[in-house]
Amino acid sequence: MTDVVDAGIPSGTEGKLIRALDWKGAFWVAAGVPPLVLFSIGGIAGTTGKLAFAVWIISMIMGLLQSFTYAEIAGMFGNKSGGASVYGATAWLRYSKFIAPLSVWCNWFAWSPVLSLGCAIAAGYILNALFPIPAADSQPVLDWIAAHASSVAADSPRVAEWLAAHAGSTPDEAVKALQGADAVAALTPAVRNWSLASFGIPFLATANLNATFFIGAVLMLIIFAIQHRGIQETASVQKWLAIIVLVPLALIGIFPIVSGAIQMTNVTGLVPPSAAYSGEDGTWSNGGWTLFLGGLYIAAWSTYGFETAVCYTRELKNPKTDTFKAIFYSGLACCLFFFLVPFAFQGVLGHTGMLAPGIVDGTGVAEALAGLIGGGRILTQLLVILMIMALFLAIMTAMAGSSRTLYQGSKDGWLPKYLDHVNENGAPTRAMWTDFAFNLFLLAIASDVGGYFFVLAVSNVGYIIFNFLNLNSGWIHRMDSGHIERPWRAPTWLIGLNTVLAFVNALFLGAGAKVWGYANALWVGFAFAAVILPVFAYRHYVRDGGKFPAGAMDDLGLVGQDLGVKKAGILPYAALVAGLAIVLVANAVFQLPA
């Protein structure tokens, strides 16, 4: 039985990934990356202020440059799936068996949370549509206040507490504010406050089994059902979703620019804010630089993500030519959206407008998009539907890519063996179920705004670790496997530049992980990354007797347990030490504003 199904037709019994895609199919599967800009556009605006749109542009340029290293190494592995983390991990095997699974694991736990985060936002949209919380100035709220005019006395303890927290205010202002809050609370549908259970997870966050959790779980199951039918079916669904979502999103990004709606004062005078979510300009102090680097840290989770286009090399009909095309054109598409959308958002709304709670938590982005083009209520509702579809697009991309990373990691002997399974349609279903179960746990945490950014910040620790290891794998592969055919070869100077960017990303990690409300996010991320070490040790030394599966290194021309000669000497070890030193020094030096 061969591992490659050249005809692209499943036999129904072989249980192998199927060669069913061309580069356009891989492009469409990766088309869920541009909507990731909507996941953290409010958070980045809050932490970087007027610098927000520049953060997106800088990060996207870095992502595009880095992708050329990934394109080269992906072309070397026509018989593997799982993406750049798998292809780059093989470069580290000669130097440490434990680094390779670390790279794959970190990539997976960075990408997989898109499922829970996307479903949390989509559930928020559904709840807002079916059970809206009334606005403070809405007529029902005003009617309730009128009917309960004497509910709050000017001399009540509540008024005194409010005044103590709002110095300079009057008792009348306190009464009005408290009556408004009471009215909104009284008229809020019960389902918005309902929770089956809530419990703290030591050293992590609070889990909440509320309406957002259960709606999000149903959405994940729907996406699972679509992907169960295989990569070709997934690509077909993604294509139409992408056209429906991305064309309007591009037009919305362009319209404010051509219509003159951009306020130049919103995109000039670029300085960091005085503090995260303060809305006031600060200075280029240590605290200001920390916030800026924190923005670049979290933006990388979105802007670098189109590297998922090379997750499907094993499922491409012609991987030698299609691999580069898939990642290159995916990168160009991402440039369009990551340049335009943040600039249009900030240019029209300004820093203060982008700090609205609905933009920060993602559930008010549709209304903000409608505002960019002067749309009314009907257009806003259409954009709500569009946003839910955009989230589906991103979640589908994440499940397709992350499940194949698990599958290939298992097939190569790095992850638990049970993940090495695909169904009759060529879908890695056990890896998909693992994704689903893991994200149910994350969804319980991400069901509130605080937990949402905790999951995002911690998962990105893994993404930067993967990114660092993989950018360095480019030059390691050049030294150790220079004789292996590369269908597309990056310029040597670009491999060198991307190696430098690996250490720049290490700086982002050390300085930026603390910006997102959790001082221990870096350490939690490190701890979660380390989980793979005993898992790999059990798989490799107990289950496999210290040997890698047959064929694991075939693409490098290595057979049996031969890992090849360490031509790079001590340089890979020096890179690891230098990268860790940069992370630790940056974490100590850069501090949040007082």
Side-chain angles (χ1 to χ4, degrees), residues 85-107 409 412 414-415 466 469-470 532-533 536 548 553:
S85 64
V86 171
Y87 317 141
T90 57
W92 289 94
L93 274 180
R94 292 179 173 92
Y95 302 92
S96 173
K97 288 183 177 182
F98 286 88
I99 296 297
L102 179 67
S103 176
V104 173
W105 173 258
C106 285
N107 178 260
D412 286 342
W414 302 332
L415 301 181
F466 142 76
L469 294 173
N470 258 48
I532 192 57
L533 302 181
F536 167 72
F548 289 106
M553 302 291 285

Side-chain angles (χ1 to χ4, degrees), residues 237-263:
V237 173
Q238 286 282 92
K239 175 181 178 180
W240 294 110
L241 271 178
I243 292 172
I244 294 170
V245 168
L246 297 184
V247 171
L249 188 59
L251 293 176
I252 290 170
I254 293 171
F255 180 81
I257 298 174
V258 299
S259 66
I262 302 294
Q263 300 294 318

Side-chain angles (χ1 to χ4, degrees), residues 3 16 80 93 97 407-417 420 536 539-541 543-555 558-563:
D3 187 52
K16 303 293 182 183
K80 290 186 186 294
L93 274 180
K97 288 183 177 182
Y407 165 80
Q408 191 65 51
S410 174
K411 192 171 181 64
D412 286 342
W414 302 332
L415 301 181
K417 190 171 179 58
D420 179 10
F536 167 72
R539 166 68 197 272
H540 185 65
Y541 294 105
R543 290 294 305 272
D544 295 345
K547 298 180 180 180
F548 289 106
M553 302 291 285
D554 282 357
D555 291 283
L558 302 173
V559 296
Q561 300 305 305
D562 178 21
L563 298 180

Side-chain angles (χ1 to χ4, degrees), residues 83-386:
S85 64
V86 171
Y87 317 141
T90 57
W92 289 94
L93 274 180
R94 292 179 173 92
Y95 302 92
S96 173
K97 288 183 177 182
F98 286 88
I99 296 297
L102 179 67
S103 176
V104 173
W105 173 258
C106 285
N107 178 260
W108 172 73
F109 89 74
W111 256 108
S112 184
V114 175
L115 279 68
S116 54
L117 298 180
C119 285
I121 298 176
Y125 274 110
I126 293 171
L127 285 171
N128 285 344
L130 299 179
F131 307 101
I133 297 175
D137 59 351
S138 64
Q139 193 58 49
V141 169
L142 298 178
D143 292 342
W144 191 96
I145 293 174
H148 300 79
S150 60
S151 61
V152 180
D155 58 352
S156 71
R158 292 180 64 201
V159 170
E161 291 176 6
W162 193 94
L163 290 172
H166 300 80
S169 300
T170 65
D172 286 343
E173 291 173 332
V175 170
K176 184 177 180 180
L178 291 170
Q179 286 179 333
D182 290 347
V184 171
L187 298 175
T188 295
V191 69
R192 301 303 296 267
N193 296 317
W194 174 82
S195 177
L196 178 65
S198 181
F199 50 91
I201 302 173
F203 307 109
L204 293 179
T206 300
N208 197 352
L209 305 185
N210 55 13
T212 298
F213 171 83
F214 287 102
I215 294 173
V218 171
L219 297 178
M220 273 198 284
L221 282 173
I222 293 172
I223 292 166
F224 183 99
I226 294 172
Q227 300 214 359
H228 191 272
R229 299 170 62 88
I231 194 64
Q232 194 167 19
E233 184 74 16
T234 299
S236 178
V237 173
Q238 286 282 92
K239 175 181 178 180
W240 294 110
L241 271 178
I243 292 172
I244 294 170
V245 168
L246 297 184
V247 171
L249 188 59
L251 293 176
I252 290 170
I254 293 171
F255 180 81
I257 298 174
V258 299
S259 66
I262 302 294
Q263 300 294 318
M264 294 309 296
T265 55
N266 292 336
V267 291
T268 54
L270 304 185
V271 292
S274 59
Y277 302 99
S278 71
E280 298 179 0
D281 289 348
T283 62
W284 285 104
S285 60
N286 182 287
W289 276 104
T290 302
L291 293 173
F292 175 62
L293 294 173
L296 287 166
Y297 165 73
I298 216 69
W301 185 80
S302 301
T303 56
Y304 299 176
F306 67 94
E307 45 84 13
T308 191
V310 296
C311 269
Y312 317 101
T313 303
R314 174 60 184 79
E315 294 161 281
L316 291 173
K317 296 175 183 177
N318 189 351
K320 286 189 176 182
T321 59
D322 288 348
T323 300
F324 175 75
K325 291 179 181 178
I327 193 170
F328 178 71
Y329 289 111
S330 295
L332 291 183
C334 285
C335 283
L336 173 67
F337 290 95
F338 286 109
F339 286 6
L340 279 180
V341 174
F343 181 78
F345 251 76
Q346 186 170 329
V348 175
L349 299 178
H351 182 204
T352 302
M354 293 185 71
L355 294 180
I359 295 179
V360 172
D361 67 18
T363 59
V365 172
E367 185 177 356
L369 288 173
L372 297 185
I373 54 177
R377 184 174 179 275
I378 294 177
L379 181 59
T380 299
Q381 294 304 314
L382 290 175
L383 286 174
V384 167
I385 298 173
L386 186 75

